[in-house]
Amino acid sequence: MGAYVCFEDETGQGLSPPKGRTWAPRGARPVVRVRGRGRGRVNVAGVVCFRPGHRAHFFYKLHVYHGRKGEPKSFSWQDYRDLIVATHLQLGAPVVWCWDNLNVHLVQELYDFAEENKAWLRVFQMPSYAPELNPAEGVWSLLKQSIANFVAADLASLTRIVKRKLKKIQYRPHLIDGCLAGTRLTMDAPKIE
């Protein structure tokens, strides 16, 4: 059985919205008022999965940081391990896991986990500073475009809208395929002679 090639990456969104273009009359720029600037954040770890002859998949995990003292700001190595396992179980196939050199990706526990599960898991570090090779970056671009100028009243509403937008991407495999095309990487099935 062939393996899925999975590209993982992270993004985050605070309460201040990403800026987008508007169709306002010239000289009448709309003003977007934001409350709670800098208080809390929704972090997303996502993985896009490709296999020749199969539809593309996108899975994600959210981490909401409320800004409380002692609360972790981002994902732990256990969260990444759980994302790898959940992806493997959803796909029902071996995975080739590609991610960047984020410090938490390089911890010994994740190396040990990959070694213990080498029957179905291979982990590759992508080159440093090469986001153009990661199709997950295209998913983040789609997400940011879809929530441009959206003002969330609080973290709960921001979490709701991020989940809704990610689900829309998740159920449109042609968008995920477009993110792969944007990297100029191809997933061609090997020719068997």
Side-chain angles (χ1 to χ4, degrees):
M1 181 188 302
Y4 278 87
V5 179
C6 302
F7 296 90
E8 191 275 341
D9 197 36
E10 308 77 22
T11 191
Q13 181 60 49
L15 287 173
S16 56
K19 294 177 183 167
R21 292 183 177 223
T22 65
W23 291 97
R26 185 179 297 256
R29 177 182 280 170
V31 176
V32 178
R33 301 206 188 284
V34 180
R35 296 183 324 177
R37 178 177 242 146
R39 299 201 63 172
R41 183 174 182 80
V42 176
N43 295 314
V44 185
V47 57
V48 290
C49 308
F50 303 97
R51 182 173 165 191
H54 293 78
R55 78 175 189 89
H57 294 275
F58 170 60
F59 305 106
Y60 64 91
K61 186 176 183 75
L62 295 181
H63 178 271
V64 180
Y65 171 65
H66 297 90
R68 298 180 186 129
K69 187 175 180 179
E71 180 184 18
K73 290 185 178 182
S74 63
F75 295 98
S76 67
W77 73 267
Q78 293 98 334
D79 294 322
Y80 288 109
R81 178 201 60 206
D82 295 346
L83 180 62
I84 294 170
V85 170
T87 301
H88 169 62
L89 292 174
Q90 283 287 334
L91 297 173
V95 295
V96 177
W97 198 265
C98 305
W99 57 11
D100 56 15
N101 295 313
L102 186 67
N103 58 358
V104 72
H105 295 167
L106 304 175
V107 299
Q108 187 62 43
E109 291 86 352
L110 283 174
Y111 280 116
D112 295 341
F113 171 75
E115 188 61 31
E116 292 167 9
N117 296 288
K118 63 184 176 184
W120 58 267
L121 174 65
R122 298 285 186 273
V123 177
F124 290 96
Q125 301 299 135
M126 296 183 70
S128 298
Y129 307 110
E132 68 277 1
L133 295 177
N134 194 339
E137 294 285 348
V139 172
W140 305 147
S141 178
L142 291 170
L143 172 66
K144 300 291 180 164
Q145 287 173 10
S146 70
I147 62 173
N149 297 332
F150 173 80
V151 179
D154 55 13
L155 275 175
S157 61
L158 178 62
T159 304
R160 245 186 339 272
I161 193 69
V162 167
K163 279 184 182 179
R164 185 177 309 135
K165 298 301 183 179
L166 288 174
K167 273 229 185 291
K168 282 187 174 186
I169 295 169
Q170 196 173 32
Y171 290 106
R172 289 177 174 84
H174 65 280
L175 291 177
I176 303 166
D177 287 333
C179 295
L180 178 66
T183 65
R184 297 188 180 170
L185 299 174
T186 59
M187 295 287 158
D188 295 328
K191 294 180 181 174
I192 301 172
E193 296 180 16

